Amino acid sequence: MTREISPPPLKRRRLVHQSSPETKSHSFRVFSWNINGVDAFLPPTNSKITTFFKPTNSPSGRASPPKTDHETTSNSLRAFLSRHNWPEVLFLQELKIKQGDCKTVAALLTAINSPLSKSDVLSQERTYTLDTVLPRDKYNVRGFQGKLYGVGTIIRKDFARGHVSLIREADWDLEGRVSIVELKKGLVQDRPLALLNIYAVNGTSSPYRSPDTGKAVGTRHDHKIVFHSRLRDECLELEAQGYNVVVAGDLNVARGVLDGHPNLRTYPSQHCLNRADFNAKFFGKEDNKRARAHVRTSNEKQACLDAIDVFRALHRTERRYTYHPRTAHWGSSCDRVDLILASKRLWEEGFVLSTGILDSPQERGPSDHVPLWVELKGTG
């Protein structure tokens, strides 16, 4: 692997805390992670919550190195929050919780707020709320007993109490892919801020069925194009209402040649169409050029969010990846498909402070994606 690509695991482990600093005064952080199913993060019945990345003492008395995810028997989202200095917001994607499964949702909330040790004091700055959006489409969410998709929004209680106005679903989303957090004015200048937790549609040739009749009306590729339009329109409507917008999550798109290793996926050709559609609807000419994004020339005019891909804006052509499949050796095949987008106003006015990708096998944990984060400047 070249130096241009993500550093090797040992070096990455030393960089983890440098890449996710403790929140500065008047700033806050949003983390995002596709966890590929919540079950691995729930403790076994009648057992204590343990954590990967937790050092143990060796016979010499020195701390042993962190275990790899292959050596770990259980995982803890609370340990993740603790390790990264209790961020204000954590977005989770692909919960794989069935609609109506209140027991699993309650278990997840308990796990997030269960102390790791006697010194883990449950203050307002260390306890969290949980809001889930789960699929309710009876025709397109039938596999795995309905345990598909779903997003979870985790917010630190002191931040929620002081700044959150509303957490809501999107009416047009029936697959549990969108959660919208509306924040009050004053946190970021005099404008309200909306944070969108997104698990975008993965384009495939499988049929997409009408949610009303169950009749096949196209493919999942077609549904992905529609999802792009609806998400863009949701963001544009929020901006029209005066909101600044931050979109974070698994967008299921590698934007261009910088975002795939060893190569960008181009077969079947519909992936190229999906990529160009996403870049056209969410980014302007300047951002697409900076990201070396795949675009297609078209005379058709369409609405564009004109957002900023914050990783490309701050790290330019650096190659870092968020999707690392467990069927391949680490770093041998990977893509940057998890993204954080911000309204251009936020970028131009200096409210995007820093961003990073926590790309190591340890941070991947039991998932096949790694977390990413953004730090935003607050004024309230």
Side-chain angles (χ1 to χ4, degrees):
M1 190 176 293
T2 67
R3 290 176 62 85
E4 192 177 18
I5 299 172
S6 305
L10 287 178
K11 184 175 182 180
R12 246 192 322 267
R13 283 201 294 270
R14 293 196 294 271
L15 291 176
V16 165
H17 289 287
Q18 296 174 16
S19 297
S20 53
E22 188 170 357
T23 306
K24 301 180 182 68
S25 177
H26 302 302
S27 72
F28 62 99
R29 292 170 299 149
V30 178
F31 278 64
S32 178
W33 189 9
N34 179 327
I35 59 173
N36 192 27
V38 73
D39 286 352
F41 295 89
L42 300 178
T45 305
N46 298 324
S47 69
K48 295 181 179 179
I49 295 176
T50 57
T51 169
F52 62 87
F53 241 41
K54 184 177 180 180
T56 57
N57 289 329
S58 67
S60 66
R62 297 180 179 179
S64 301
K67 293 182 178 181
T68 68
D69 51 326
H70 299 293
E71 297 172 303
T72 305
T73 57
S74 60
N75 310 283
S76 167
L77 285 170
R78 184 162 183 83
F80 176 86
L81 294 165
S82 172
R83 185 165 70 251
H84 295 293
N85 303 307
W86 311 108
E88 286 79 0
V89 179
L90 171 61
F91 286 162
L92 302 180
Q93 299 89 42
E94 206 168 358
L95 296 180
K96 297 182 179 179
I97 300 175
K98 184 178 181 179
Q99 177 67 246
D101 185 357
C102 300
K103 183 177 180 180
T104 298
V105 173
L108 176 58
L109 179 60
T110 298
I112 292 167
N113 289 319
S114 294
L116 298 168
S117 65
K118 292 182 180 179
S119 61
D120 184 3
V121 180
L122 292 178
S123 63
Q124 288 287 310
E125 293 77 21
R126 292 188 177 186
T127 51
Y128 289 81
T129 65
L130 170 65
D131 186 88
T132 60
V133 179
L134 303 178
R136 58 186 192 277
D137 186 329
K138 64 180 180 179
Y139 293 114
N140 292 291
V141 189
R142 297 194 294 183
F144 301 96
Q145 294 81 49
K147 294 182 178 180
L148 291 169
Y149 316 139
V151 294
T153 296
I154 298 169
I155 302 180
R156 211 174 67 192
K157 281 189 175 180
D158 61 323
F159 186 80
R161 184 179 64 249
H163 301 292
V164 173
S165 174
L166 175 69
I167 303 176
R168 64 178 175 88
E169 303 177 3
D171 293 339
W172 48 267
D173 168 40
L174 302 179
E175 293 187 350
R177 296 182 176 278
V178 181
S179 176
I180 303 170
V181 182
E182 297 181 3
L183 302 179
K184 304 172 185 177
K185 288 183 179 180
L187 178 62
V188 179
Q189 270 191 341
D190 58 346
R191 292 180 180 271
L193 178 66
L195 308 175
L196 283 80
N197 179 4
I198 303 298
Y199 179 41
V201 174
N202 183 25
T204 71
S205 59
S206 298
Y208 175 73
R209 302 184 181 280
S210 164
D212 298 320
T213 66
K215 181 181 178 181
V217 291
T219 68
R220 301 292 293 180
H221 285 302
D222 300 322
H223 183 45
K224 182 173 182 64
I225 297 295
V226 172
F227 182 90
H228 289 167
S229 296
R230 288 174 173 170
L231 177 60
R232 174 205 59 194
D233 293 347
E234 184 78 47
C235 294
L236 287 172
E237 176 61 26
L238 284 164
E239 287 192 338
Q241 295 174 20
Y243 284 85
N244 284 312
V245 172
V246 172
V247 175
D250 180 359
L251 277 300
N252 262 312
V253 172
R255 294 189 61 199
V257 294
L258 297 174
D259 299 317
H261 175 77
N263 299 301
L264 190 65
R265 186 178 181 184
T266 57
Y267 180 83
S269 61
Q270 185 65 43
H271 288 296
C272 299
L273 297 177
N274 295 343
R275 184 176 295 123
D277 180 78
F278 177 75
N279 287 327
K281 289 174 179 173
F282 287 89
F283 305 101
K285 183 176 180 180
E286 180 183 356
D287 191 277
N288 278 323
K289 182 179 180 180
R290 177 168 53 224
R292 295 173 62 183
H294 176 73
V295 295
R296 288 178 175 243
T297 303
S298 173
N299 294 324
E300 180 184 354
K301 292 185 178 181
Q302 61 177 329
C304 175
L305 182 60
D306 200 14
I308 301 298
D309 178 341
V310 299
F311 182 83
R312 284 284 162 246
L314 289 170
H315 297 280
R316 301 291 167 160
T317 59
E318 184 177 350
R319 291 179 180 265
R320 305 289 285 273
Y321 307 105
T322 62
Y323 173 64
H324 293 262
R326 308 191 73 85
T327 54
H329 292 294
W330 175 266
S332 64
S333 176
C334 38
D335 301 281
R336 188 178 73 100
V337 296
D338 303 81
L339 308 173
I340 298 174
L341 287 55
S343 292
K344 182 174 279 190
R345 283 192 301 247
L346 284 175
W347 172 254
E348 292 179 341
E349 295 174 9
F351 285 95
V352 180
L353 299 179
S354 54
T355 191
I357 296 171
L358 304 177
D359 49 347
S360 73
Q362 290 75 23
E363 292 287 6
R364 180 180 63 176
S367 180
D368 50 6
H369 291 246
V370 299
L372 63 161
W373 58 271
V374 64
E375 182 182 9
L376 301 169
K377 181 172 69 173
T379 56

